Amino acid sequence: MDKNKIDMTTGAILPKMLKFALPLMLSSVLQMLFNAADVIVVGQFGSENSLAAVGTTGILIGFFASMFIGLSIGSTVLASNYLGAGNRTGVSRIVHVSLGLALALSVVLTVFGFASARFFLELLHAPAVVMPLALQYMYVVLPGVPGMAVYNFGAALLRAKGDTRRPLYFLLAAGIVNALLNLYFVICWHMDVAGVALATSISQYLSAGLVVFCLVREKDEFRLHLKLLHLDRRTAARILRIGVPAAFQSFVFYIANFIIQAQINTFGPVIMSGTAAAVNLENFVWVSMNGFQQAGMTFVSQNLGAGKYERIDQSHRTAIACAFVTGMVLGGGVVFFGRQLLSIYTSNRQMIEAGMTRLYMLSGVYGICGIMECLAADIRGLGWSTLPSVISMIGACG
């Protein structure tokens, strides 16, 4: 039996869910470190407005990442459902169409990013002194979007069979490379924001290459044959039917945050920088809860395919409880140690106090967000994606 697989249809749920979720949480945290490393390095070693520039582009880069994570949910749900039903051919088809879809979508979004970067930064009211650096960061980091897409879809396929450890190892390798290149490009070559952006792009392709290499060497139905990559219209439509509502939910969330960020930017670089650091800390809490969101969805989908309906409700309750506890503990920790954590990003006292204002307002109640996200994810695991997205958008943004 494949040691990387988790049989989600038999046995105690909590131990298997923790085995699934904990590596995924660490993987998500490492992915967040890509941006955090950028923010920390430019904040400590970059020019005066570098931190504000990277901070104000964070919402745009986060948009691309969230879109691919949302779209790849369709691949996880369908592959895990076929796996639970014992349909090996269906799993193989999902693997090849998913990665073909990832490449196609990444090209479209990369072109869109280059064409619209200045427009969106102007909508964000990026100050004139920050705009050139922000554009420089965007134009260097955008070519890494295809790597981001391939990694997220590839990792989503591995998660369908419970393999969350190897994506963690891939991100660990990429994260170390990213951090070292950040320091090298900024301190040795004085490339400032362009250096941290280039380091991020290189790291994205490294993680993508590792996940593709892993799938090519698989021995089961998840094995990738590069010559079989294609865009079967019917299969792609099924993936997108589940993934698009999830991605659209993320899009609406980013629109709401976009409006908030635009107003924050009118207060100048100090408030912008403090808020950027606080948002980065909040995101670590969110992605930690997201591990249980993904776990609940995958457990529900596999048990649906296997016809184990009583385990669906058990999986659902377990995921919600774990996400709520994680959100409350980590959110409270971020508030309690807020000043110390913010000082990692900047030594400016005004920036730290601006960041604390945001942390006091939001981080202490993140457990409630975990309940919402798990409810929506578990319904997606049943194949219903539009309804939970609409409810979440109304509740969180309306």
Side-chain angles (χ1 to χ4, degrees):
M1 181 179 177
D2 187 347
K3 64 180 181 180
N4 294 303
K5 276 186 179 181
I6 296 176
D7 183 1
M8 305 178 194
T9 61
T10 60
I13 291 175
L14 180 59
K16 292 186 176 183
M17 188 168 287
L18 290 173
K19 182 180 178 181
F20 181 103
L22 292 178
L24 182 55
M25 289 166 60
L26 292 173
S27 298
S28 299
V29 167
L30 283 173
Q31 201 160 20
M32 290 301 306
L33 284 173
F34 281 0
N35 183 253
D38 294 354
V39 173
I40 291 169
V41 171
V42 297
Q44 298 292 348
F45 304 107
S47 59
E48 181 180 359
N49 295 309
S50 298
L51 180 57
V54 175
T56 201
T57 58
I59 192 169
L60 299 177
I61 302 303
F63 163 75
F64 286 104
S66 69
M67 289 295 288
F68 290 125
I69 291 171
L71 291 168
S72 67
I73 284 174
S75 299
T76 302
V77 170
L78 291 176
S80 58
N81 190 260
Y82 281 135
L83 186 63
N87 187 341
R88 295 168 58 90
T89 302
V91 172
S92 180
R93 185 168 62 250
I94 294 297
V95 168
H96 292 91
V97 174
S98 292
L99 290 177
L101 189 61
L103 289 171
L105 291 172
S106 67
V107 171
V108 173
L109 285 176
T110 300
V111 172
F112 171 76
F114 274 106
S116 60
R118 178 178 290 275
F119 170 75
F120 283 112
L121 288 170
E122 288 174 349
L123 284 182
L124 282 168
H125 301 305
V129 294
V130 172
M131 179 67 80
L133 289 173
L135 280 173
Q136 189 180 45
Y137 183 85
M138 288 293 295
Y139 291 152
V140 178
V141 85
L142 279 170
V145 167
M148 180 193 300
V150 170
Y151 170 78
N152 279 296
F153 271 84
L157 291 167
L158 291 175
R159 284 196 296 270
K161 63 173 179 175
D163 183 0
T164 56
R165 290 189 302 167
R166 285 184 292 179
L168 167 62
Y169 302 151
F170 303 152
L171 274 181
L172 178 60
I176 292 172
V177 169
N178 183 56
L180 293 175
L181 289 179
N182 274 334
L183 294 169
Y184 180 66
F185 290 149
V186 175
I187 296 175
C188 299
W189 284 19
H190 307 289
M191 293 177 65
D192 202 29
V193 297
V196 294
L198 179 59
T200 298
S201 290
I202 293 172
S203 300
Q204 299 284 14
Y205 281 107
L206 175 59
S207 60
L210 288 171
V211 81
V212 168
F213 180 74
C214 170
L215 288 169
V216 167
R217 292 176 60 86
E218 287 293 90
K219 303 299 184 183
D220 57 15
E221 59 267 35
F222 284 85
R223 183 168 186 171
L224 172 66
H225 301 273
L226 295 176
K227 64 182 180 180
L228 296 181
L229 285 176
H230 65 290
L231 278 177
D232 174 67
R233 183 179 300 178
R234 179 175 297 179
T235 304
R238 291 190 65 199
I239 294 170
L240 293 176
R241 184 174 64 84
I242 297 172
V244 166
F248 185 71
Q249 176 184 324
S250 297
F251 172 74
V252 173
F253 281 12
Y254 270 91
I255 291 295
N257 289 327
F258 189 95
I259 294 169
I260 294 169
Q261 185 67 48
Q263 298 308 308
I264 289 170
N265 290 354
T266 63
F267 291 98
V270 171
I271 303 298
M272 288 171 63
S273 298
T275 301
V279 168
N280 214 271
L281 290 175
E282 290 170 22
N283 286 338
F284 282 109
V285 181
W286 185 85
V287 298
S288 297
M289 295 189 304
N290 186 58
F292 292 105
Q293 171 192 339
Q294 296 282 340
M297 180 184 71
T298 309
F299 271 68
V300 165
S301 186
Q302 268 206 30
N303 282 289
L304 178 67
K308 301 286 187 70
Y309 303 116
E310 73 286 351
R311 292 179 62 85
I312 291 175
D313 191 48
Q314 296 169 11
S315 301
H316 172 62
R317 293 197 304 268
T318 304
I320 287 179
C322 290
F324 177 75
V325 171
T326 301
M328 296 305 293
V329 171
L330 294 183
V334 164
V335 174
F336 188 79
F337 296 105
R339 286 184 174 82
Q340 293 91 326
L341 293 170
L342 290 169
S343 66
I344 297 172
Y345 296 85
T346 178
S347 57
N348 185 303
R349 300 306 303 174
Q350 289 179 298
M351 292 181 183
I352 290 174
E353 291 307 313
M356 284 303 302
T357 299
R358 181 179 176 103
L359 293 181
Y360 281 134
M361 294 291 181
L362 293 177
S363 294
V365 293
Y366 250 75
I368 299 172
C369 177
I371 295 174
M372 177 191 73
E373 295 286 2
C374 279
L375 284 165
D378 292 348
I379 296 173
R380 288 192 188 100
L382 296 172
W384 295 82
S385 190
T386 302
L387 179 61
S389 295
V390 171
I391 294 171
S392 296
M393 287 186 288
I394 293 173
C397 302

